[in-house]
Amino acid sequence: MAKIIRSNRAKKSSVPPVPKKSAKKAVKSSPRPAAKTSLKPKSLKQESWTPAEVHEAFSRFRKANPEPKGELEHLNPYTLLVAVVLSAQATDAGVNKATRALFAVADTPERMLELGEEKVREYIKTIGLYRNKAKNVIALSEKLIAEFGGEVPRTRAEIETLPGAGRKTAKVVLNMAYGEHTMAVDTHVFRVGNRTGLAPGNTPLEVELGLEKVIPSEFMLHAHHWLILHGRYTCLARKPRCEVCLINDLCRWPEKTV
Ligand code: SF4
């Protein structure tokens, strides 16, 4: 019955009948042209990189910067963990400014507890969300002492149980403190993975798994830092510097400027 009514209406208005689903969409969609997206969905349709191309890209990163370093200052696995927890929604430079003084007086969970939450808060008050972060630093220090002998554990699952630490924190700590071949996806890696077409994905997890799949093991120790540095200094969010980009011939981004 519903079909007959639709087709009669279509005849009257000389407009071809619209399938029910599309009609719904048409009502919802804005009359304005869709905003230009800078990452997906174009990149999702890009031609995949060949293994030889991926090898070539990372060989170039390695040649240009054989020992890339993270920019978060730390003294040991514990201070690295604290720095990464503090870095959520903050810049590395901002975190370093606060932690230099903090780590000078508290570089172990025991010393952090001696310092106490109020003083920790004072040291880190220039960092966003500092009240909650100070709470987490104290709580994770307590947990490290109570359950892990005061040491930062060596598995992702264990690190993820610590207050303020998620998947990305765990992967950064495992990579930087323990030399594991993990990939952590922050905003820079997410952008580079999508734009280049190396590992397109709608979520950080999709990009992370995609990168782990395509990057050869010989590059995995440093891949995380190469991609972060590439995103931070070359493949900038608003104005990527394609003209000086080491991999501009391999990059699949349709909007690259070279
Ligand atoms: S060519 Fe441009 S868009 Fe592609 S990776 Fe390099 S800087 Fe980024």
Side-chain angles (χ1 to χ4, degrees), residues 4 12 31 51 53 66 100 116 121 128 137 155-156 195 204 230:
I4 295 166
K12 268 185 197 170
E53 286 175 322
R100 259 172 231 142
R121 217 164 37 220
V137 168
T155 69
R156 177 168 67 79
R195 270 188 185 163
H230 187 65

Side-chain angles (χ1 to χ4, degrees), residues 195-196 230 234-235 240-242 245 247-248 251 253 256 258:
R195 270 188 185 163
T196 56
H230 187 65
T234 306
C235 194
R241 301 169 63 218
C242 304
C245 173
I247 55 166
N248 57 15
C251 173
W253 197 36
K256 66 182 181 181
V258 288

Side-chain angles (χ1 to χ4, degrees), residues 99-222:
T99 55
R100 259 172 231 142
L102 173 66
F103 294 159
V105 293
D107 60 352
T108 63
E110 292 80 3
R111 288 191 192 127
M112 198 64 82
L113 290 187
E114 274 169 32
L115 195 62
E117 187 177 327
E118 203 175 312
K119 286 199 178 135
V120 171
R121 217 164 37 220
E122 271 302 301
Y123 278 103
I124 65 167
K125 67 184 178 192
T126 51
I127 303 175
L129 311 173
Y130 71 97
R131 288 176 193 281
N132 204 33
K133 287 178 180 174
K135 248 190 201 96
N136 283 335
V137 168
I138 292 297
L140 74 81
S141 303
E142 281 170 350
K143 187 156 184 168
L144 285 177
I145 293 170
E147 296 179 25
F148 300 103
E151 301 286 326
V152 177
R154 288 174 174 257
T155 69
R156 177 168 67 79
E158 288 171 316
I159 297 175
E160 282 183 8
T161 66
L162 299 169
R167 184 182 182 94
K168 194 183 77 175
T169 302
K171 292 222 152 188
V172 172
V173 170
L174 290 173
N175 178 255
M176 289 176 68
Y178 299 136
E180 289 204 14
H181 290 190
T182 55
M183 173 58 63
V185 175
D186 70 349
T187 178
H188 300 298
V189 178
F190 184 74
R191 182 173 66 255
V192 172
N194 270 294
R195 270 188 185 163
T196 56
L198 254 176
N202 288 306
T203 63
L205 180 59
E206 277 179 29
V207 173
E208 176 193 309
L209 298 177
L211 288 170
E212 285 181 346
K213 201 166 152 196
V214 297
I215 299 173
S217 141
E218 67 175 292
F219 299 112
M220 273 305 288
L221 179 60
H222 295 312

